[in-house]
Amino acid sequence: MNLNTLKPALGEKTNRKRVGRGMGSGMGKTSGRGHKGQKSRSGGFTKIGFEGGQMPLQRRLPKVGFSSRVSIITSQVTLSQLDKLTETDINIDVLKKHNLVTKNILRVKVMLSGEINRAINLVGIKPTKGARAAIEAAKGTISE
């Protein structure tokens, strides 16, 4: 196969329709635009959603906000917050017990903020790269 032998698939390329070239072409006289009206004129098209002056649907309906479902069930804790806890095995239930996260939280991320001076064992909690390095430097373990 060479570049000069490449061809598009059969039926992929079609010839453009030549309009306004006489009645024998099948697209003569009005050139497929019908009779009269705004859409038959050159430059005669309205913007998307225009309803002839009536208040458009997208403006009649109320605006509705957006809240990410992921952010509702995800929370963050810092290394300095974990350092204040007395437990060595830390999971989401321990964080809920100490009111570091709310009861509806399903995922927790440990951020590198502050420092940790003791070995902890994270269970089911994901740390950032920097937090992982700090926990492992303090002889801690991470089991996800």
Side-chain angles (χ1 to χ4, degrees):
M1 181 193 316
N2 295 323
L3 285 175
N4 63 339
T5 60
L6 289 177
K7 289 185 178 177
L10 193 64
E12 195 69 29
K13 298 284 246 182
T14 55
N15 293 333
R16 69 181 183 87
K17 196 174 284 186
R18 295 185 70 219
V19 297
R21 292 294 179 271
M23 300 312 289
S25 70
M27 290 299 267
K29 193 175 175 249
T30 55
S31 304
R33 288 174 175 253
H35 291 279
K36 300 185 182 175
Q38 186 178 17
K39 290 199 271 185
S40 71
R41 321 266 187 227
S42 67
F45 244 89
T46 57
K47 61 185 174 185
I48 296 170
F50 184 70
E51 297 182 18
Q54 172 178 297
M55 185 62 71
L57 181 67
Q58 73 269 20
R59 291 188 61 198
R60 288 197 299 265
L61 299 176
K63 286 193 277 188
V64 179
F66 171 81
S67 61
S68 172
R69 281 181 270 155
V70 174
S71 66
I72 293 170
I73 61 171
T74 307
S75 185
Q76 300 172 350
V77 293
T78 62
L79 283 178
S80 56
Q81 288 174 321
L82 294 181
D83 198 32
K84 293 174 186 172
L85 299 179
T86 56
E87 289 89 345
T88 54
D89 290 337
I90 298 173
N91 57 20
I92 294 177
D93 294 329
V94 171
L95 297 176
K96 287 178 183 179
K97 188 175 87 175
H98 288 283
N99 293 325
L100 290 177
V101 295
T102 56
K103 65 178 182 178
N104 58 345
I105 294 298
L106 301 177
R107 287 187 278 204
V108 176
K109 191 92 167 179
V110 177
M111 309 303 259
L112 176 64
S113 178
E115 52 186 42
I116 192 155
N117 300 317
R118 62 188 187 88
I120 60 170
N121 181 23
L122 286 184
V123 181
I125 298 175
K126 293 186 178 184
T128 60
K129 283 183 185 178
R132 179 184 289 272
I135 291 169
E136 289 171 350
K139 305 289 188 248
T141 58
I142 298 154
S143 54
E144 295 175 22

